[in-house]
Amino acid sequence: MGADHRDEGGTEALPHGSPLRPGRPEHPAHRRGFRESDLQIVQLAAGLYGRLAMKRVYYSAFVPVNTDPRLPATIGTPPLLREHRLYQADWLLRYYGFAAGELLDEERPNLDLSLDPKAGWALRHRHLFPVEVNRADLETLLRVPGIGVRSAQRIVRARRGGHLSLDDLAKLGVVMKRARYFLTARGRFAADLSPDAEALRARLTERTQRRDRWSQPSLFDATDGMDLQSVLTGEL
């Protein structure tokens, strides 16, 4: 795992046998030849951020450029979408206040490739939605799919001047295509499916199912503003 250190000290956050313990060369956190679950990788990243004050953790799917028996074995194509989901989970750890245990656990040790981890968390906690944006605190707003860090901060500032409408939210940068299923404004709900609707998961995964799941996510292949904004800003 490549990382940018703020300081060089302490290895208590690293599990026994970690490739980042002293005396071992650095390795990517996510390689096809390794058998770690996403839970192990995300927990390791959380430890690096929390205990070692590391600035950034990088993830890289192993992509073989030639054949050699000394290289890690690969099955099928490189897991590039898994790499993308790990980066999204990492973003939630760093900027959205999520803990590793909220995203993954022993019963669900790997990220859902068909759904970004923030939307996945929301679907597992449907009873918390919809959120009324004119009353919710910043921490709650950050848990709403489609509301990024900057848009959540804008909402908090803007509502000091009066109650916000659904139209106001789009102007503040909220991705309503996703957020509309999880929020209300002035008591108004804009979506045709409620948060507890069984069909909501299928609706949220339509975009991923249409795309080649093993292609490298690109800055330029998004077909709608939701995907492009997420790729450019990292906001979920």
Side-chain angles (χ1 to χ4, degrees):
M1 172 160 27
D4 181 5
H5 294 260
R6 229 185 306 202
D7 56 60
E8 301 285 345
T11 58
E12 65 277 8
L14 306 179
H16 179 71
S18 167
L20 284 181
R21 280 191 171 275
R24 286 173 172 250
E26 289 192 356
H27 289 280
H30 170 44
R31 291 178 56 181
R32 188 66 174 179
F34 288 15
R35 296 185 179 274
E36 290 88 353
S37 67
D38 293 341
L39 174 60
Q40 291 174 294
I41 294 172
V42 172
Q43 285 177 330
L44 175 58
L48 293 172
Y49 289 133
R51 297 187 183 185
L52 300 187
M54 196 167 286
K55 291 182 179 180
R56 183 73 186 271
V57 174
Y58 295 90
Y59 309 86
S60 178
F62 176 67
V63 181
V65 296
N66 56 24
T67 57
D68 190 294
R70 294 170 294 180
L71 294 174
T74 59
I75 301 175
T77 53
L80 299 174
L81 185 53
R82 183 186 179 199
E83 174 192 305
H84 183 58
R85 294 295 184 224
L86 284 169
Y87 270 113
Q88 290 178 321
D90 184 275
W91 204 264
L92 296 180
L93 295 178
R94 295 168 63 205
Y95 299 115
Y96 287 77
F98 281 83
E102 294 182 281
L103 302 176
L104 296 164
D105 55 36
E106 294 299 333
E107 294 183 357
R108 297 175 295 96
N110 293 302
L111 294 166
D112 188 338
L113 297 181
S114 65
L115 201 64
D116 77 73
K118 186 178 179 183
W121 178 88
L123 290 180
R124 294 193 301 274
H125 297 82
R126 298 174 190 238
H127 62 285
L128 300 177
F129 301 98
V131 167
E132 171 53 56
V133 296
N134 288 294
R135 294 194 301 268
D137 58 25
L138 179 63
E139 291 73 19
T140 300
L141 291 173
L142 288 172
R143 303 242 162 178
V144 178
I147 297 184
V149 175
R150 290 180 296 180
S151 52
Q153 294 169 340
R154 290 169 186 158
I155 289 172
V156 172
R157 289 194 300 265
R159 68 189 183 188
R160 294 171 187 163
H163 286 181
L164 302 176
S165 67
L166 292 171
D167 291 336
D168 293 328
L169 297 180
K171 297 174 184 176
L172 294 173
V174 175
V175 182
M176 292 301 294
K177 183 170 183 179
R178 182 177 305 184
R180 58 182 173 164
Y181 301 106
F182 300 98
L183 58 76
T184 60
R186 298 181 184 174
R188 183 185 171 196
F189 185 70
D192 59 337
L193 292 176
S194 64
D196 59 355
E198 289 297 325
L200 182 54
R201 177 184 170 82
R203 181 73 60 83
L204 293 173
T205 58
E206 284 177 354
R207 174 73 178 92
T208 303
Q209 291 171 349
R210 290 195 303 267
R211 183 177 61 194
D212 177 10
R213 63 185 299 170
W214 297 118
S215 63
Q216 176 70 58
S218 167
L219 290 177
F220 309 107
D221 66 359
T223 59
D224 55 62
M226 176 186 67
D227 291 333
L228 183 57
Q229 178 171 328
S230 179
V231 170
L232 290 175
T233 67
E235 295 191 341
L236 298 167

